[in-house]
Amino acid sequence: MKGGKVTVLNETERKVLNWANRRGLIEGTTAEKQVIKLMEEVGELSEAVLCNNFAETVDAIGDCAVVLTNLAAKLGVSLAYCYETAYNTIKNRTGKIINGTFVKNR
Ligand SMILES: [Mg+2]
């Protein structure tokens, strides 16, 4: 992974990366293929949410996280790094909820 861009990985991210590396998944895939896989998993997540299926929703969120972990690794960063970067961007953002969606102040 790229120096300085790896924040602390949690234990599950570590396990997922070991699992993916043992299968040659990070080495053998492309960012584009992982984005397509992510869309497939997001589709499953959408179906689970729309069907009000809690167990399938939890499973689909996890599957999305696994694919995002692999995509981040392919790009040389950790998912934790991406997550922290996003948090640092949003942490001071202000706005309000309109029809169930957070609309940020400009
Ligand atoms: Mg799935």
Side-chain angles (χ1 to χ4, degrees), residues 6 20 50 83 102-103:
V6 181
L50 294 173
Y83 210 22
F102 184 79
V103 179

Side-chain angles (χ1 to χ4, degrees), residues 37 40-42 44-45 56 59-64 67:
K37 181 70 180 164
E40 178 189 328
E41 300 295 358
V42 169
E44 291 176 9
L45 174 60
E56 290 291 329
D59 182 68
I61 290 171
D63 284 350
C64 289
V67 177

Side-chain angles (χ1 to χ4, degrees), residues 1-9 13-14 16-18 21 26 68-82:
M1 291 195 183
K2 290 177 181 164
K5 293 193 174 180
V6 181
T7 53
V8 177
L9 307 182
E13 184 174 1
R14 229 181 280 285
V16 167
L17 282 173
N18 286 336
N21 278 314
I26 307 300
L68 287 170
T69 298
N70 295 340
L71 174 58
K74 189 68 192 177
L75 299 176
V77 295
S78 68
L79 182 61
Y81 171 76
C82 298

